[in-house]
Amino acid sequence: MQFNIKQIEDWQNVVEEILPQLQHPILLLKGNLGAGKTTFTQFLLKNLESTDEVNSPTYSIVNEYNTPKGKVYHFDLYRLKNLEEVFDIGIEEYLDNSFLCIIEWPEIYEEELYGLKFHTMSIHNNGESREINFD
């Protein structure tokens, strides 16, 4: 699926299209700094009926949110330097005990997901709009 958005309110339309397509418990979010990964997550959690405040997990590495469907864990692996640090945060336990795990900057861990089912969403900010690819 592809989307092109020009204003923040357009994220709601993206979420409404993607939410019924979420068949796997892992969502990888790729995009440069400021692309809108956390903004997308805010809209997604709201649509999953979470009442929790959604913030970027840049410094906490992982944030936990409650939804009627179960726990959602939101990771930001940007600051992690190697795979050992990813394992040190207990990512496998989170993956095993969640409704959904959203992973920003997943590249350091992506190879470890071989054999698991996941979705990937790429966001490209070209200055005037954002191009989004979801699969």
Side-chain angles (χ1 to χ4, degrees):
M1 302 174 76
Q2 295 183 328
F3 306 91
N4 191 323
I5 65 172
K6 296 185 182 204
Q7 54 192 8
I8 196 165
E9 295 82 14
D10 294 339
W11 283 111
Q12 180 61 35
N13 297 329
V14 172
V15 168
E16 288 173 1
E17 292 287 327
I18 287 176
L19 200 51
Q21 305 303 317
L22 280 177
Q23 305 298 315
H24 310 304
I26 302 169
L27 173 60
L28 307 182
L29 292 183
K30 298 181 177 185
N32 56 349
L33 287 170
K37 297 178 296 291
T38 297
T39 301
F40 165 78
T41 302
Q42 290 169 335
F43 277 88
L44 179 64
L45 269 288
K46 182 179 177 184
N47 281 263
L48 288 172
E49 300 177 27
S50 176
T51 58
D52 297 330
E53 184 177 343
V54 178
N55 296 306
S56 173
T58 299
Y59 294 102
S60 62
I61 309 296
V62 61
N63 290 341
E64 176 182 321
Y65 305 109
N66 295 302
T67 74
K69 294 185 177 195
K71 298 274 186 197
V72 174
Y73 297 104
H74 181 197
F75 295 88
D76 184 331
L77 305 183
Y78 181 76
R79 295 180 41 219
L80 301 186
K81 294 175 181 58
N82 56 52
L83 195 53
E84 185 177 326
E85 289 183 341
V86 178
F87 287 118
D88 285 347
I89 65 170
I91 195 166
E92 292 173 313
E93 188 172 327
Y94 287 108
L95 293 175
D96 289 341
N97 295 294
S98 66
F99 164 69
L100 179 64
C101 283
I102 301 166
I103 306 173
E104 295 186 26
W105 302 97
E107 292 78 5
I108 195 169
Y109 186 66
E110 203 165 0
E111 204 171 287
E112 300 300 312
L113 295 172
Y114 180 79
L116 298 177
K117 295 182 179 184
F118 58 88
H119 297 282
T120 301
M121 182 171 161
S122 299
I123 306 168
H124 175 71
N125 181 355
N126 65 18
E128 295 179 17
S129 67
R130 286 169 170 77
E131 298 168 5
I132 298 153
N133 289 303
F134 173 82
D135 57 39

